[in-house]
Amino acid sequence: IMKKLIALALCLIMILSAFAGCATSEDGKEEKEEDPGAYIRMYITEPIYNFDPALAYGNEAALRIVSLLYDNLFVIGENGKPTKSLVKDYDIDKKTNSITLTLRSDTYWSDGSAISANDVFFAWERLLDSTKSFEAASLLYNVKNAKAAKEGDVSIEDVGIQLLNETQLMIELNEGASVDEFLINLSSYALAPLRSDIIRRAEKE
């Protein structure tokens, strides 16, 4: 008897599952419900007024959203060390204490335009603009003249960030600055590339 009851229960489960994804329209025909897609549950502890990654620095709630919208240059791996993300490769010159970053060429913005080294260059220069207040600018203070530029003591052109081409940047660090520490800083979303045309349009509104 027990085996028959189990078999009957399994049959009922299979029958019910066959109708679970169906709905009935007004004319009596069965219609399949559309898949609503995946849900991402997030707990936001404070209001979010801006999705600018530079402004999300230090705001845990905003970073939860920003992490879904932007990719960063490096990510911190399970071993606690920076792992390449948007960066395809990097070369360290110990003699000059500089780093050359090469970005991946297969990453794009939502409108299909390629993410370029110029997007990184713009985002970093924006942080170091002495007329703007960005707490995240301190992440770049290992770069030659970056802190002085932020304080308005030197021109932004004097900062040790050089745009080489569409996919490469060369960064000259301060004497004695830690390359490893700088690479860890590059895992921050605050240093993610930004589109200059979109940012400038948003600042005018």
Side-chain angles (χ1 to χ4, degrees):
I1 295 175
M2 182 59 69
K3 290 182 178 180
K4 289 182 179 180
L5 289 175
I6 293 173
L8 180 60
L10 290 173
C11 288
L12 288 172
I13 291 172
M14 292 178 66
I15 292 170
L16 289 173
S17 63
F19 291 99
C22 299
T24 305
S25 62
E26 293 180 358
D27 58 4
K29 294 182 179 180
E30 290 182 350
E31 297 178 345
K32 287 189 176 181
E33 295 180 356
E34 292 185 3
D35 183 2
Y39 289 91
I40 299 177
R41 300 187 181 276
M42 305 180 74
Y43 296 93
I44 306 302
T45 57
E46 54 187 299
I48 299 173
Y49 303 103
N50 197 305
F51 295 135
D52 188 331
L55 296 175
Y57 181 72
N59 184 325
E60 184 178 349
L63 280 173
R64 290 176 182 269
I65 303 298
V66 166
S67 66
L68 301 175
L69 302 176
Y70 296 89
D71 196 358
N72 38 17
L73 300 174
F74 288 82
V75 295
I76 302 301
E78 294 180 357
N79 58 1
K81 295 183 178 181
T83 303
K84 293 173 290 186
S85 185
L86 286 178
V87 169
K88 177 184 178 181
D89 199 7
Y90 63 94
D91 180 64
I92 300 172
D93 187 337
K94 293 183 178 180
K95 290 183 179 179
T96 60
N97 203 28
S98 63
I99 308 170
T100 299
L101 300 178
T102 302
L103 300 187
R104 292 168 51 185
S105 58
D106 60 347
T107 55
Y108 304 87
W109 295 103
S110 58
D111 64 357
S113 58
I115 296 175
S116 70
N118 188 62
D119 297 328
V120 178
F121 188 78
F122 167 76
W124 293 5
E125 279 203 333
R126 177 172 176 253
L127 286 175
L128 295 175
D129 188 337
S130 60
T131 66
K132 297 177 181 177
S133 178
F134 289 116
E135 184 182 355
S138 61
L139 293 171
L140 294 170
Y141 283 176
N142 280 342
V143 177
K144 182 180 179 180
N145 289 330
K147 186 175 182 181
K150 186 63 180 177
E151 295 172 349
D153 295 331
V154 301
S155 169
I156 195 73
E157 284 77 20
D158 296 322
V159 176
I161 303 171
Q162 185 179 353
L163 183 64
L164 301 180
N165 52 52
E166 285 297 310
T167 60
Q168 288 187 312
L169 287 162
M170 186 173 72
I171 302 101
E172 184 179 355
L173 301 182
N174 292 319
E175 185 177 351
S178 169
V179 172
D180 292 336
E181 181 182 328
F182 182 69
L183 293 179
I184 290 174
N185 287 353
L186 294 186
S187 68
S188 172
Y189 286 101
L191 301 184
L194 293 175
R195 286 271 296 276
S196 59
D197 56 332
I198 293 176
I199 294 296
R200 285 167 179 157
R201 185 168 67 240
E203 290 176 344
K204 290 179 181 178
E205 294 177 353

